[in-house]
Amino acid sequence: MVERGHAEPHDDPRGLGTGPASLAVRRPAVSADRLIGELVPPPRFASARFSTYLPDPAEPSQSAARDLLAERSAAWSGRGGKERGRRGLLRRGGSGAAEGRGVYLDGGYGVGKTHLLASLWHETEGPKVYGTFVEYTNLVGALGFGPTVAHLATQRLVCIDEFELDDPGDTVLVSTLLTRLAEAGVQLAATSNTLPDQLGEGRFAAADFLREIQGLSARFTAVRIDGRDYRRRDGASAPEPLSDETVRKYAEGGLHTAPVPGLGGERFLDAFDPLVTHLSTLHPSRYGALLDGVASLGLLGLLPVEDQNAALRLVVFVDRLYDRSIPVLTSGVAADQVFTPELLAGGYRKKYLRAVSRLISLTQAGSALVA
């Protein structure tokens, strides 16, 4: 398996050389080679397999989706087997036929879609790539459209996590990209919180790009996965914010000085608002490299984000934290208040709620470090 790469050298992570390390002074450079090398499941899902997926017994769609993907993996790897699980996985509209080449996992956040997609990648024989929707658009930006198609067309399987259309340019680009890959015989698998024929709704004039959106929909068999957010099945809510003093002391090594289990690296400390501002100066493709060597992150003064652009950047940043299982210790407001009610009522609601769910999980891990 290709391991995710390392960033090029950063500026001095400690700024003036004193105090805890800070993300806000880092400006990582990310090469095209790194972007290609990182097209594998992130560390959190490095050991994901169909056998380790734990479906909710009350939601048969979860085990049915697992069985279907296992059968697809076997078929694509030449191990044979019939796709017996398809009958219980109905496309919207009641058709059980597998229309299109790919599989599109649709469902709410926290039902295990990413775990299943990573399992499909791990258990399907290569060549293969795995990345988020944002990572693929970043790759096109770094390599150009033609070289990206040429590279991806050599793969047996392309997995796309968190498939989303946020603007018309992405709609046309991805529609063309997937058309080229399908014509080259590449197998496609994707996850999203939105059905393919509803992509873009509430975000831009989707009706003006209906042909592209319908073309994307035709590339996939949509598989619905229902259920509760597994990260909160036990009823756990966002932990109480810590004090500034506690967050700072931990970052400085004054509390629980043992390394974070399973992670090397340093403890970082940043004020939330300046960090959000710093994210606006970096392309989202650099957020993963920004977290190289980070064992834990202390955030002072968490507060609700009102600006939509800042909020969307924060979603990507939280995803990269979650990919790496980095505990987060926060003061200020609770993690479930980081996006304003106005943002949560808009077209990106599902994206924000997924980020909140993931941030709650990370802050629970952070709070446990100083419990």
Side-chain angles (χ1 to χ4, degrees):
M1 179 193 305
V2 178
E3 295 293 334
R4 291 196 164 222
H6 298 285
E8 285 71 11
H10 296 282
D11 295 336
D12 175 11
R14 295 186 178 278
L16 298 177
T18 60
S22 169
L23 295 179
V25 298
R26 286 184 149 190
R27 302 197 64 82
V30 180
S31 67
D33 287 342
R34 172 168 177 157
L35 292 176
I36 292 174
E38 288 191 333
L39 291 179
V40 297
R44 178 179 286 271
F45 298 100
S47 60
R49 299 293 187 275
F50 294 125
S51 61
T52 61
Y53 178 69
L54 301 176
D56 186 341
E59 299 293 346
S61 62
Q62 295 185 12
S63 57
R66 176 199 59 196
D67 294 344
L68 172 61
L69 289 185
E71 290 168 356
R72 286 289 177 96
S73 175
W76 293 343
S77 300
R79 297 192 297 269
K82 298 179 180 179
E83 299 180 41
R84 297 179 298 274
R86 289 190 303 191
R87 294 182 180 179
L89 301 167
L90 302 181
R91 288 180 54 86
R92 203 173 68 153
S95 171
E99 302 174 21
R101 180 180 303 277
V103 177
Y104 187 102
L105 301 180
D106 165 64
Y109 54 90
V111 296
K113 300 187 303 297
T114 298
H115 186 124
L116 287 174
L117 189 68
S119 299
L120 176 67
W121 187 92
H122 284 298
E123 300 203 23
T124 300
E125 296 177 11
K128 55 196 175 182
V129 291
Y130 177 109
T132 64
F133 180 86
V134 171
E135 287 175 317
Y136 288 111
T137 56
N138 291 342
L139 188 64
V140 173
L143 298 182
F145 184 79
T148 298
V149 171
H151 176 69
L152 296 182
T154 64
Q155 309 300 310
R156 170 176 290 169
L157 171 65
V158 170
C159 294
I160 310 168
D161 197 21
E162 300 161 12
F163 196 107
E164 310 221 9
L165 295 181
D166 294 341
D167 62 64
D170 282 347
T171 303
V172 176
L173 184 152
V174 173
S175 175
T176 306
L177 175 63
L178 295 187
T179 297
R180 298 283 182 84
L181 296 181
E183 291 172 348
V186 177
Q187 306 295 348
L188 304 171
T191 73
S192 181
N193 295 322
T194 306
L195 283 165
D197 58 357
Q198 296 175 345
L199 289 164
E201 287 187 1
R203 304 178 186 184
F204 60 88
D208 295 337
F209 297 87
L210 188 59
R211 183 178 66 181
E212 284 80 7
I213 292 172
Q214 289 176 336
L216 287 171
S217 180
R219 299 289 175 197
F220 296 99
T221 298
V223 177
R224 176 72 185 179
I225 306 179
D226 298 308
R228 299 170 293 167
D229 179 0
Y230 82 91
R231 288 181 287 267
R232 304 178 72 177
R233 283 182 192 173
D234 58 2
S237 58
E240 287 293 320
L242 303 169
S243 67
D244 286 355
E245 180 184 11
T246 298
V247 175
R248 192 181 298 277
K249 269 191 175 181
Y250 183 84
E252 294 173 346
L255 295 173
H256 298 271
T257 56
V260 179
L263 289 175
E266 296 185 79
R267 303 176 186 194
F268 278 65
L269 178 68
D270 282 273
F272 178 70
D273 199 37
L275 179 59
V276 171
T277 300
H278 183 59
L279 293 178
S280 70
T281 70
L282 301 175
H283 191 276
S285 63
R286 300 185 180 192
Y287 291 178
L290 185 68
L291 296 171
D292 282 353
V294 177
S296 65
L297 176 61
L299 290 177
L300 297 171
L302 197 69
L303 50 81
V305 177
E306 298 179 352
D307 178 74
Q308 181 166 274
N309 290 326
L312 291 172
R313 286 190 290 267
L314 183 59
V315 167
V316 178
F317 181 67
V318 170
D319 285 342
R320 301 295 80 79
L321 286 167
Y322 187 77
D323 285 346
R324 291 156 177 78
S325 301
I326 296 174
V328 178
L329 298 86
T330 63
S331 66
V333 303
D336 57 1
Q337 298 176 38
V338 72
F339 301 112
T340 63
E342 291 76 16
L343 289 176
L344 292 175
Y348 298 98
R349 171 181 171 81
K350 291 180 181 179
K351 181 180 285 192
Y352 294 141
L353 290 176
R354 185 191 74 227
V356 166
S357 172
R358 290 181 165 187
L359 187 57
I360 287 174
S361 176
L362 296 174
T363 54
Q364 287 172 337
S367 294
L369 296 174
V370 296

